[in-house]
Amino acid sequence: MEAQPPALLSAPRMLTLVGSILVSLSSGTNYIYSAYAPQLGARLLLSHTQLNVIGLAGNMGVYLSGPAWGRVVDSKGPRIPLISAFACLLIGYLGIRGIYDNGAGTAISFMHLVILIACTFITGLAGNSGLAVAVNTTAKSFPETSRGTITGLVLSGFGLSAFFFATVASIAFPGDTSALLLVLGLGAAMPMLLGLVIVRQIPLPPPSTTLGIEGGLHGREGYHPIPSGDAALFIHENDSNTSLLDPTELVHEAPNYHVPESSTAVELVPDRIVSRGSSVRRSASRAKPAHDGPNVHGKQLWLTPEFYLIFVIMSLLSGTGLMYINNVGSISQALYAKGNPNYDELEALRWQAAQVSTLSVCNFAGRILIGLIADLIRIRLRLPRAYCFCIVSTLFVVSQLSAISINDVAHLWKATALLGLAYGGLFGIAPTIIIDWFGLSHLSENWGYVSLSPLVGGNIFSLLFGRNLDSHTSDDDTGTHSSLPLVRRGGLPSEHQCFDGRDCYVSSLYVTVTACLIALGLSVWAGMRDQRKTAEAKREVVWDAED
């Protein structure tokens, strides 16, 4: 007799969830870059543009490797990606630490700069491999009705990574950048080995929803209950034994499914609704495997308009987020240095760390909250989850407007918190939207292609920010610059530091506000488009049912 899968709240399933969160927590270390970037620049005499190139190398490692890791996870499982993540984290962060320790206030050679960029790149490779495993495993181990919440919970670990490792390092080794890099190398790599043991796909439990047709079908030969899922939301209980399926509410999750003739059971398959006899009886999601539904992937994905829609939205929003995340340390230093004759390097470092921690915690919160909101919109309001993009885009717009208006480093946390919520929400909801639009079977591969989108906006906005910040630095502090004496502010030599506060970077924020407003318009269109397609599918179901 075939063994039954574990129950929904069984220990193996919960252990997989906890393991996936730990792997995700260790995969988001690129978000901590701004916590040590200014110190890296000070020791190695790097310009802001060079620091942005190094930060972007980590982002490129994350996003360029997405399609490849997606294919590996979908076809081979978690073992290879987790081993690779372990090795890449060790090599990457220990390599960065070696270059940092060997620097002594003199400019590094071009070759060392290339090695530094390469080390940052492979930490990005590790991040995506671990995240792909965590998201894919949990998405296939939990039912669709809780997928938004569960996915958001796993992704929240990715967002909390910077806060966790920065806090550990600051408590154990306060003010020691070399120790921070060591903590990142060892502390992030070890959970990947733990994931090899506890992170595995757990089959979904057998359905609890059964059919009551013609006096009940239990015990009849050939009877197989239909898997339960979101379709349970569309069932109206008319009496204790049987219930009629309301065709006007049948199709929300699977709009093109019909009920074929069958002597023993009712199932949902594509195109139109038919029933044996005079009534359509109670059913649940589909008479197909639990992961069936849309199945768009490969070449077909690139021919789908929805792919380009989500690609552009994510490119604009994630590019804005990456620009801010990679440079929030420099922003805080510029604001702190503005008109401050009593510059304290240690105090500047505290403000810098505070922004990183705020960003990380809000990134974490955004990923959880958006999952709850997405399931609420889907289940309670019966609206497409794509409308969550509108919420996220609005948060991005408000965060950038807030950053533009702030002149005091003491208030910078407000813009940072909003940006963290928005960025976490974006990456918390995107995989769920991809499942809704393209299906679960090739989730990691499809997410890999979509995750190429931050490279476009991230590269453009981050390099623009670095060039803008460098253009406001000067070898003297006369003219338009602060009259403060030339000192090593924020650990950076004066020729690489801007003392003009908000003016150092505000023009870059005007560009990102415009980008976020465009993304907001596209998000509204995406939600309305998804809702219109669902309404059309419902009408087709009603017409076919009447036929």
Side-chain angles (χ1 to χ4, degrees):
M1 183 176 179
E2 195 173 313
Q4 292 293 324
L8 188 60
L9 297 179
S10 63
R13 203 177 304 277
M14 293 301 104
L15 190 61
T16 289
L17 176 60
V18 171
S20 296
I21 293 174
L22 288 176
V23 169
S24 179
L25 182 69
S26 301
S27 300
T29 56
N30 284 107
Y31 292 134
I32 204 174
Y33 175 70
S34 57
Y36 65 84
Q39 287 69 40
L40 193 68
R43 192 173 180 89
L44 305 178
L45 300 186
L46 300 170
S47 69
H48 289 291
T49 300
Q50 289 173 321
L51 287 175
N52 272 278
V53 170
I54 294 169
L56 284 172
N59 300 330
M60 292 180 69
V62 172
Y63 302 120
L64 278 178
S65 63
W69 285 130
R71 285 176 176 266
V72 171
V73 173
D74 284 333
S75 60
K76 303 296 184 181
R79 186 176 181 83
I80 295 176
L82 288 175
I83 294 175
S84 300
F86 169 78
C88 287
L89 286 169
L90 275 180
I91 295 171
Y93 281 115
L94 295 184
I96 296 172
R97 181 174 181 261
I99 295 176
Y100 176 85
D101 289 343
N102 291 328
T106 57
I108 63 172
S109 66
F110 176 76
M111 183 57 65
H112 280 92
L113 179 61
V114 171
I115 294 174
L116 191 61
I117 292 172
C119 287
T120 309
F121 179 81
I122 65 173
T123 63
L125 294 180
N128 204 337
S129 62
L131 185 63
V133 168
V135 172
N136 185 284
T137 303
T138 49
K140 293 180 178 179
S141 298
F142 288 85
E144 202 278 340
T145 48
S146 61
R147 189 171 294 143
T149 302
I150 294 297
T151 303
L153 188 62
V154 172
L155 288 168
S156 68
F158 193 76
L160 194 62
S161 182
F163 172 76
F164 176 78
F165 287 105
T167 301
V168 170
S170 64
I171 293 174
F173 313 101
D176 190 339
T177 302
S178 178
L180 170 60
L181 293 169
L182 180 62
V183 168
L184 289 172
L186 298 178
M190 294 308 169
M192 300 299 177
L193 293 182
L194 180 63
L196 285 172
V197 180
I198 63 177
V199 176
R200 57 192 179 91
Q201 182 181 338
I202 307 297
L204 290 172
S208 58
T209 304
T210 56
L211 301 176
I213 299 180
E214 305 300 336
L217 295 171
H218 293 284
R220 292 193 183 184
E221 184 179 355
Y223 169 70
H224 301 284
I226 295 176
S228 60
D230 264 8
L233 300 171
F234 311 127
I235 296 170
H236 296 270
E237 299 290 349
N238 295 327
D239 56 60
S240 60
N241 295 318
T242 63
S243 61
L244 295 176
L245 185 66
D246 183 351
T248 65
E249 296 187 357
L250 173 66
V251 181
H252 188 91
E253 186 68 22
N256 297 321
Y257 282 63
H258 80 276
V259 182
E261 294 187 332
S262 172
S263 60
T264 59
V266 176
E267 63 178 1
L268 301 180
V269 292
D271 293 328
R272 65 192 190 91
I273 291 186
V274 188
S275 66
R276 183 178 182 87
S278 60
S279 64
V280 180
R281 297 296 183 181
R282 181 181 182 187
S283 76
S285 177
R286 308 172 179 88
K288 287 187 169 189
H291 301 326
D292 274 12
N295 188 17
V296 181
H297 64 97
K299 181 179 179 181
Q300 187 181 3
L301 180 72
W302 292 89
L303 300 176
T304 304
E306 286 83 355
F307 170 74
Y308 294 98
L309 180 57
I310 193 173
F311 193 96
V312 173
I313 291 173
M314 288 200 63
S315 181
L316 295 172
L317 297 181
S318 63
T320 297
L322 289 175
M323 181 202 77
Y324 191 93
I325 290 169
N326 288 343
N327 292 281
V328 67
S330 299
I331 292 174
S332 66
Q333 287 189 348
L335 291 176
Y336 181 68
K338 175 70 172 178
N340 185 2
N342 301 314
Y343 188 91
D344 183 344
E345 184 175 336
L346 186 58
E347 184 66 17
L349 187 60
R350 291 194 187 102
W351 283 116
Q352 177 186 329
Q355 303 310 312
V356 174
S357 296
T358 300
L359 182 65
S360 181
V361 171
C362 291
N363 192 347
F364 160 79
R367 292 170 191 253
I368 291 182
L369 290 174
I370 200 65
L372 296 173
I373 292 171
D375 286 342
L376 177 67
I377 288 175
R378 168 67 184 85
I379 295 172
R380 298 297 181 187
L381 303 181
R382 297 189 181 180
L383 292 173
R385 291 188 178 103
Y387 275 117
C388 290
F389 277 141
C390 300
I391 300 173
V392 170
S393 299
T394 301
L395 282 174
F396 268 105
V397 171
V398 175
S399 74
Q400 297 304 284
L401 291 175
S402 178
I404 288 173
S405 66
I406 290 172
N407 286 295
D408 187 347
V409 69
H411 299 293
L412 184 60
W413 68 269
K414 300 174 184 177
T416 301
L418 288 169
L419 191 282
L421 286 171
Y423 193 81
L426 175 65
F427 282 90
I429 191 58
T432 306
I433 301 296
I434 289 172
I435 293 172
D436 287 348
W437 286 2
F438 310 128
L440 182 60
S441 298
H442 294 82
L443 167 62
S444 294
E445 179 184 344
N446 291 343
W447 171 242
Y449 288 124
V450 173
S451 66
L452 294 172
S453 57
L455 292 177
V456 181
N459 279 308
I460 293 174
F461 297 150
S462 292
L463 292 176
L464 176 65
F465 190 97
R467 294 293 296 272
N468 185 27
L469 203 56
D470 283 335
S471 69
H472 285 81
T473 62
S474 175
D475 289 335
D476 63 58
D477 293 312
T478 59
T480 60
H481 293 274
S482 170
S483 59
L484 297 176
L486 287 174
V487 294
R488 290 175 62 84
R489 301 174 190 275
L492 283 173
S494 58
E495 64 267 20
H496 296 309
Q497 178 68 28
C498 176
F499 304 141
D500 297 337
R502 188 177 70 99
D503 293 337
C504 294
Y505 55 82
V506 70
S507 59
S508 299
L509 299 181
Y510 290 131
V511 175
T512 54
V513 165
T514 303
C516 293
L517 286 171
I518 295 173
L520 177 58
L522 292 174
S523 299
V524 173
W525 183 41
M528 295 176 63
R529 191 171 186 270
D530 214 6
Q531 188 174 16
R532 184 172 62 250
K533 289 176 66 177
T534 299
E536 291 173 354
K538 285 184 178 181
R539 285 194 295 270
E540 291 178 4
V541 168
V542 174
W543 293 337
D544 289 339
E546 291 175 351
D547 291 341

